[in-house]
Amino acid sequence: MKQIQSFFLLLFGLSFLLSACGESEYEKDVVAETDGQHTPQYALVIHGGAGTIKPKKMDAQTRVAYEQALEEALDRGEAVLREGGTALDAVVAAITSMEDSPLFNAGRGAVFTHEGHNELDASIMDGKTHAAGAVGGVRKVKNPILAARAVMEKSPHVLLTCAGADRFAVEQGLDTVDPSYFYTERRWKSLQRRLEKERKAQPVGETLEEQEHKFGTVGCVALDQYGNLAAGTSTGGMTNKRWKRLGDSPIIGAGTYADNASCAVSCTGHGEFFIREAVAHDMSARMLYLGETVQQAGDYIIHQKLKALGGDGGLIALDRQGNIAMPFNTSGMYRAYVKPDERMVAIFKEGE
Amino acid sequence: MKQIQSFFLLLFGLSFLLSACGESEYEKDVVAETDGQHTPQYALVIHGGAGTIKPKKMDAQTRVAYEQALEEALDRGEAVLREGGTALDAVVAAITSMEDSPLFNAGRGAVFTHEGHNELDASIMDGKTHAAGAVGGVRKVKNPILAARAVMEKSPHVLLTCAGADRFAVEQGLDTVDPSYFYTERRWKSLQRRLEKERKAQPVGETLEEQEHKFGTVGCVALDQYGNLAAGTSTGGMTNKRWKRLGDSPIIGAGTYADNASCAVSCTGHGEFFIREAVAHDMSARMLYLGETVQQAGDYIIHQKLKALGGDGGLIALDRQGNIAMPFNTSGMYRAYVKPDERMVAIFKEGE
């Protein structure tokens, strides 16, 4: 009996050694760091912005269009993860899909600045290495998230801005487009309404308060089969913005953060509040230092901290065990997630 | 006897009520929130950058010049606090003093970009309200810290960049200067040396590694007599920077943060690392969530976290009880502080 036991122990030991030799460095990390817990093979969460989105105000056709666009982005991101791609690749796949859709305020379909331009912001972060890249105020790059990734991987910098960021993207051979590519009638009309209001009335400081508060920023967080997290965000910013204003989306620590030790986060909402509260990094800090779950940290920041300050918005967050939080304090948030055995797409509050 | 006691109690009660009526909202905060602890009347800490600053390499004349410039900035900031001004006003007074000095890499004396321009970044934050303002890549504003403050107080935004930020500053009536104002021979030569190296050798990514690593960013944190904290940072960025790169100085949460509940922070160093680790917000988070002191949080982040990543630099931090930390992992950091009964100015490591 004892001999049989020893034989099996030896067999087990050998097979362990053999399998360990075949593992990549990433895979060893997962085995070591998840410490025997059940790890899902992968998970991907996206948002298409939080804001005043109410079921009564949205016709069936529009709703279906948004749901289809979210499904499409999920599909693109999931395909990468299912085939063994990295979280970074999945984030880029899902976000480019939403940037290419005219429905969201990112890439094609971005809102217009006061002067009638589209100025785009994006950022991306790798939870394993803390590498990060971002662009603010680009006008030529077709997919700002690709420019953010190029900054991360092909420059020694984190944040490039304005014409400089466009120049960098061109040097990197990224696809550029004519400004007319970003044009959508809906966003143009939105600017005209804002300008009309401004002409009739109050100083700039106030008009921003009464704006529609529809923020169509897009974002994605992903967990890959190697146990690594990544996060990305892309936006056109606020309608009628001026003076080359940047919100939280291109700011690592505000709109985007990823750390394998805590979570990956992408935010959407009134960016100034998200910068002042360093929301994306605060998510990570609350988990690391207070031991909060991704849901506890998200709920506290969105429903208590930001709500008390008047900061509208929401976020998506994902930890290394595949736990997901998607809190928002607005009436709706375009959001969706996928895991190997689960899929969800939603726009309004639960039950609406 | 009892009557006498009652009389004194009444007298005490009345005097308390009267003094309470005369108190501003700020003063009441201090009494309430410091909970009987000894609060210093005020404190102010400044830095003029961390980097490769060694006693052997600095002649006596240069050393005296830097010390005088630090003393001057301390004097300007302290005068504000002594006379009952706010922490924000003191931060602005100390930083404009250093921006106006050609010795520091901020305002006059800023380093040059690859194209031979000076592009300036600054940010400021109010610990009481979490209001914040920042500018990135301005070329015309004489004192970028004033532009950051104007963004905070006169716009609904936090971060304005490039030509847009300059336009905003002009609209606000801030002093602008001809680009030649920022020129110093020393910084120009520094750019020429870098360009020469680049022509002879390697791709951009590598040359940044072998640069001098002298970061002359300036910053200030202050505690006023009303118990409020504020922080500010101003810089010319990195010699030979391109593509409108922004470092941590204009990023709230990276280079600058202030929260009355924790501390005020201003950072200096290799900005990309400070952004990726959200250093300024992390200081605040470690104090709030882990209960660390300003010294413990500062030491951990600078000497362990950043050091391990290869992130050179330092920070100054100050809490509401007047506790100060000034950690740096480089060979030196221009730094100084003042309290009603203490004053210190230093450049090298202790004992050097």
Side-chain angles (χ1 to χ4, degrees):
Chain A
M1 191 65 188
K2 225 174 182 176
Q3 279 174 324
I4 296 176
Q5 271 186 358
S6 302
F7 173 75
F8 276 108
L9 268 174
L10 186 71
L11 203 69
F12 178 76
L14 271 173
S15 68
F16 180 79
L17 270 175
L18 280 169
S19 70
C21 292
E23 275 171 0
S24 73
E25 196 187 313
Y26 284 153
E27 286 163 332
K28 269 185 276 178
D29 273 7
V30 183
V31 174
E33 295 181 28
T34 59
D35 203 21
Q37 282 183 50
H38 168 75
T39 306
Q41 279 183 285
Y42 60 78
L44 183 122
V45 194
I46 56 172
H47 70 76
T52 322
I53 317 165
K54 292 184 178 169
K56 281 182 193 167
K57 289 197 174 176
M58 185 179 279
D59 61 49
Q61 202 182 346
T62 309
R63 183 171 178 160
V64 168
Y66 272 103
E67 285 169 350
Q68 280 177 347
L70 292 168
E71 295 276 9
E72 171 72 19
L74 275 191
D75 286 345
R76 299 266 205 102
E78 188 186 17
V80 172
L81 296 174
R82 200 193 308 114
E83 289 154 25
T86 66
L88 278 175
D89 284 335
V91 162
V92 167
I95 290 181
T96 50
S97 171
M98 291 187 281
E99 284 178 341
D100 292 344
S101 161
L103 293 176
F104 304 104
N105 175 19
R108 197 171 154 229
V111 298
F112 286 90
T113 66
H114 183 69
E115 294 83 6
H117 303 299
N118 304 101
E119 291 174 357
L120 312 167
D121 312 327
S123 64
I124 191 163
M125 186 160 181
D126 179 346
K128 183 180 166 72
T129 61
H130 285 204
V135 292
V138 294
R139 287 189 186 175
K140 292 182 184 169
V141 191
K142 180 168 179 263
N143 290 107
I145 194 71
L146 294 178
R149 186 173 190 171
V151 173
M152 175 172 75
E153 294 178 345
K154 312 280 186 189
S155 91
H157 301 309
V158 169
L159 176 55
L160 304 181
T161 60
C162 308
D166 271 320
R167 228 168 28 241
F168 174 78
V170 169
E171 288 172 29
Q172 291 298 320
L174 295 182
D175 280 354
T176 54
V177 288
D178 185 82
S180 65
Y181 167 81
F182 298 112
Y183 176 92
T184 52
E185 196 189 350
R186 171 190 175 206
R187 302 294 191 189
W188 183 253
K189 282 186 177 167
S190 174
L191 172 64
Q192 301 315 313
R193 280 197 303 274
R194 288 293 315 284
L195 292 175
E196 184 60 27
K197 271 194 181 178
E198 221 173 72
R199 266 190 294 272
K200 285 184 185 163
Q202 8 4 40
V204 184
E206 289 167 53
T207 55
L208 268 170
E209 294 304 316
E210 3 128 345
Q211 70 168 14
E212 297 166 277
H213 283 296
K214 279 182 192 157
F215 313 106
T217 297
V218 308
C220 177
V221 293
L223 168 68
D224 62 30
Q225 297 189 38
Y226 316 107
N228 290 312
L229 294 169
T233 310
S234 181
T235 191
M238 283 179 158
T239 297
N240 197 32
K241 68 182 177 182
R242 58 187 91 181
W243 309 302
K244 296 272 179 188
R245 171 259 188 193
L246 301 186
D248 62 320
S249 301
I251 307 299
I252 296 300
T256 302
Y257 208 72
D259 182 353
N260 274 2
S262 53
C263 63
V265 191
S266 170
C267 301
T268 169
H270 196 146
E272 276 72 11
F273 289 90
F274 285 72
I275 296 177
R276 289 161 55 189
E277 303 309 315
V279 167
H281 180 262
D282 200 30
M283 281 292 296
S284 173
R286 295 186 72 89
M287 291 179 67
L288 278 179
Y289 305 150
L290 296 177
E292 290 186 347
T293 64
V294 76
Q295 190 71 54
Q296 287 170 332
D299 282 346
Y300 178 80
I301 292 173
I302 296 298
H303 294 300
Q304 297 197 44
K305 201 173 191 177
L306 281 182
K307 190 81 184 172
L309 294 166
D312 289 349
L315 60 80
I316 54 172
L318 171 67
D319 71 16
R320 222 178 168 187
Q321 280 68 49
N323 298 304
I324 290 169
M326 304 183 289
F328 55 97
N329 62 28
T330 48
S331 55
M333 179 166 85
Y334 301 104
R335 63 200 186 280
Y337 74 78
V338 65
K339 294 182 185 185
D341 48 3
E342 273 180 79
R343 195 179 176 95
M344 188 274 257
V345 174
I347 300 177
F348 313 111
K349 282 186 184 155
E350 249 183 286
E352 278 191 326
Chain B
M1 192 64 186
K2 223 173 186 180
Q3 277 173 324
I4 296 175
Q5 272 186 358
S6 301
F7 172 75
F8 276 108
L9 268 174
L10 186 71
L11 203 69
F12 178 75
L14 271 173
S15 69
F16 179 79
L17 270 176
L18 280 170
S19 70
C21 293
E23 274 170 3
S24 75
E25 198 187 311
Y26 284 153
E27 286 163 331
K28 269 183 279 177
D29 273 5
V30 183
V31 174
E33 295 182 30
T34 58
D35 203 20
Q37 281 182 50
H38 169 74
T39 307
Q41 279 183 286
Y42 59 77
L44 183 123
V45 194
I46 57 174
H47 70 76
T52 322
I53 317 165
K54 291 182 178 170
K56 281 181 193 167
K57 290 198 172 174
M58 185 178 279
D59 61 50
Q61 203 182 345
T62 307
R63 182 173 179 158
V64 168
Y66 271 104
E67 285 170 349
Q68 280 177 347
L70 292 168
E71 295 275 9
E72 171 73 19
L74 274 192
D75 285 345
R76 299 265 206 104
E78 188 186 17
V80 172
L81 296 174
R82 200 193 308 113
E83 288 155 24
T86 66
L88 278 175
D89 284 335
V91 163
V92 168
I95 291 182
T96 50
S97 172
M98 289 187 282
E99 284 177 341
D100 293 345
S101 160
L103 294 176
F104 304 105
N105 175 18
R108 199 171 152 229
V111 298
F112 286 90
T113 67
H114 184 69
E115 293 83 7
H117 303 297
N118 305 102
E119 292 175 356
L120 311 167
D121 312 327
S123 63
I124 192 164
M125 186 161 182
D126 179 347
K128 182 181 167 69
T129 61
H130 286 205
V135 291
V138 294
R139 287 189 186 175
K140 293 181 182 170
V141 191
K142 180 169 179 263
N143 290 107
I145 194 69
L146 294 178
R149 186 173 189 170
V151 173
M152 174 172 76
E153 294 178 343
K154 313 279 186 189
S155 91
H157 302 309
V158 169
L159 176 55
L160 303 182
T161 59
C162 308
D166 270 322
R167 228 166 32 239
F168 174 78
V170 168
E171 287 172 29
Q172 292 298 319
L174 294 182
D175 280 354
T176 54
V177 287
D178 186 80
S180 65
Y181 167 81
F182 299 112
Y183 176 91
T184 52
E185 197 189 346
R186 171 190 174 207
R187 302 294 191 190
W188 183 254
K189 282 185 176 166
S190 175
L191 172 65
Q192 300 316 313
R193 279 197 304 273
R194 287 293 315 284
L195 292 175
E196 185 59 27
K197 271 193 182 179
E198 221 173 71
R199 265 189 295 272
K200 285 184 186 163
Q202 5 9 35
V204 183
E206 288 168 53
T207 56
L208 269 170
E209 294 303 316
E210 3 127 345
Q211 69 169 13
E212 297 166 276
H213 283 297
K214 280 180 190 156
F215 313 106
T217 296
V218 307
C220 177
V221 293
L223 168 68
D224 62 29
Q225 296 188 38
Y226 316 109
N228 290 310
L229 294 169
T233 309
S234 181
T235 192
M238 282 178 157
T239 297
N240 197 33
K241 67 182 178 183
R242 57 186 91 181
W243 310 302
K244 296 273 179 187
R245 169 260 189 192
L246 301 186
D248 62 319
S249 301
I251 307 299
I252 296 299
T256 302
Y257 207 73
D259 182 352
N260 273 2
S262 54
C263 62
V265 191
S266 170
C267 302
T268 170
H270 196 148
E272 277 72 11
F273 289 90
F274 285 72
I275 296 177
R276 289 161 54 189
E277 302 309 315
V279 168
H281 180 262
D282 200 31
M283 281 292 297
S284 173
R286 295 185 73 88
M287 290 179 69
L288 279 178
Y289 305 150
L290 295 176
E292 290 186 347
T293 64
V294 76
Q295 190 71 54
Q296 287 169 332
D299 282 346
Y300 179 78
I301 292 172
I302 295 298
H303 294 300
Q304 298 197 44
K305 201 173 192 177
L306 282 181
K307 190 80 185 174
L309 294 165
D312 289 348
L315 59 81
I316 53 171
L318 172 66
D319 71 15
R320 223 177 168 188
Q321 279 70 49
N323 297 305
I324 291 168
M326 304 183 288
F328 55 97
N329 62 28
T330 47
S331 55
M333 180 167 83
Y334 301 104
R335 62 201 187 279
Y337 74 78
V338 64
K339 294 183 185 185
D341 48 3
E342 273 179 77
R343 195 179 177 95
M344 187 274 257
V345 174
I347 300 177
F348 312 111
K349 282 187 185 155
E350 248 182 287
E352 279 193 323

